[in-house]
Amino acid sequence: MERIMVIGVSAGVGKSTFARRLGDNLNIEVHHLDTFYWRPGWVEAPLEDFISAQKEVVSHDKWIMEGNYSHSFNLRSELADTIIYLELPLRVCLYRAIKRWLSNLGKTRPDMAKGCNEKLDWQFIKFIISTYFPRKKEMKIKLAGLQKSDPEKVIVILKSKPDIEGYLLSMKG
């Protein structure tokens, strides 16, 4: 387990926190896709820059990359030896997104690009709600396809806080 993708059903599921804790446990550097995708002031990076930054990371022997970003999913999934998918209930994701916003008012999170102060608006709430169930179905299909095409790839699906905590505990070195 040296090239790890951490993905999730939604914003607020805990991808960043999980990846950070896993990275600490395994002593592997964590890369947050949001830091590659966003420029100061919430400006999207050019797609070629976003892809290039990921290519640089996956060229290394060990890495943890956290984030969904479907347009570069295959780049990461083909080279990952382990994919960890977090799926908590929608209400938990919404609660955590709101809590994260309140905890980081006026600040930029460490897993976010510089100059992107924490924000929460109705559009983002709608995005979480409208993508949750379709993404849940899509990820089930996508992960099954990956497992079928590469039976050696480790796919871990964690669907509860106790599952997540237990997994992280089992990875403590």
Side-chain angles (χ1 to χ4, degrees), residues 2-164:
E2 297 181 326
R3 295 176 316 278
I4 305 161
M5 260 178 86
V6 176
I7 56 176
V9 68
S10 176
V13 77
K15 297 178 297 292
S16 298
T17 301
F18 178 89
R20 204 168 25 254
R21 290 177 64 194
L22 184 64
D24 288 345
N25 289 354
L26 299 174
N27 197 28
I28 297 176
E29 188 176 357
V30 176
H31 304 272
H32 303 280
L33 293 182
D34 281 341
T35 63
F36 299 153
Y37 189 77
W38 294 107
R39 299 280 166 85
W42 293 97
V43 174
E44 294 177 29
L47 186 57
E48 52 275 8
D49 292 356
F50 179 59
I51 299 294
S52 178
Q54 291 176 70
K55 284 182 177 177
E56 159 60 25
V57 172
V58 298
S59 72
H60 299 154
D61 293 335
K62 293 183 178 189
W63 46 265
I64 296 174
M65 262 201 275
E66 167 275 315
N68 289 340
Y69 292 97
S70 57
H71 50 280
S72 62
F73 183 91
N74 291 342
L75 167 68
R76 291 170 279 130
S77 66
E78 288 170 8
L79 296 166
D81 56 41
T82 305
I83 298 173
I84 300 171
Y85 171 66
L86 307 178
E87 185 183 286
L88 296 177
L90 175 59
R91 70 183 182 286
V92 173
C93 296
L94 285 168
Y95 168 77
R96 286 180 172 183
I98 293 166
K99 182 180 168 193
R100 178 175 72 194
W101 171 65
L102 290 171
S103 301
N104 292 288
L105 279 174
K107 297 185 278 190
T108 299
R109 298 188 325 259
D111 57 339
M112 183 52 70
K114 299 276 184 255
C116 292
N117 285 353
E118 188 65 27
K119 67 177 187 170
L120 183 70
D121 54 21
W122 179 240
Q123 186 178 348
F124 189 55
I125 297 282
K126 275 192 335 194
F127 171 79
I128 293 171
I129 294 168
S130 66
T131 60
Y132 181 89
F133 293 103
R135 186 175 286 154
K136 192 172 166 177
K137 279 185 199 166
E138 175 193 329
M139 290 311 299
K140 187 175 185 175
I141 294 164
K142 200 176 264 193
L143 293 173
L146 280 171
Q147 191 71 80
K148 189 175 182 179
S149 68
D150 185 357
E152 299 296 308
K153 196 172 296 290
V154 175
I155 296 177
V156 179
I157 299 172
L158 303 171
K159 291 188 173 191
S160 71
K161 287 190 263 184
D163 286 352
I164 290 168

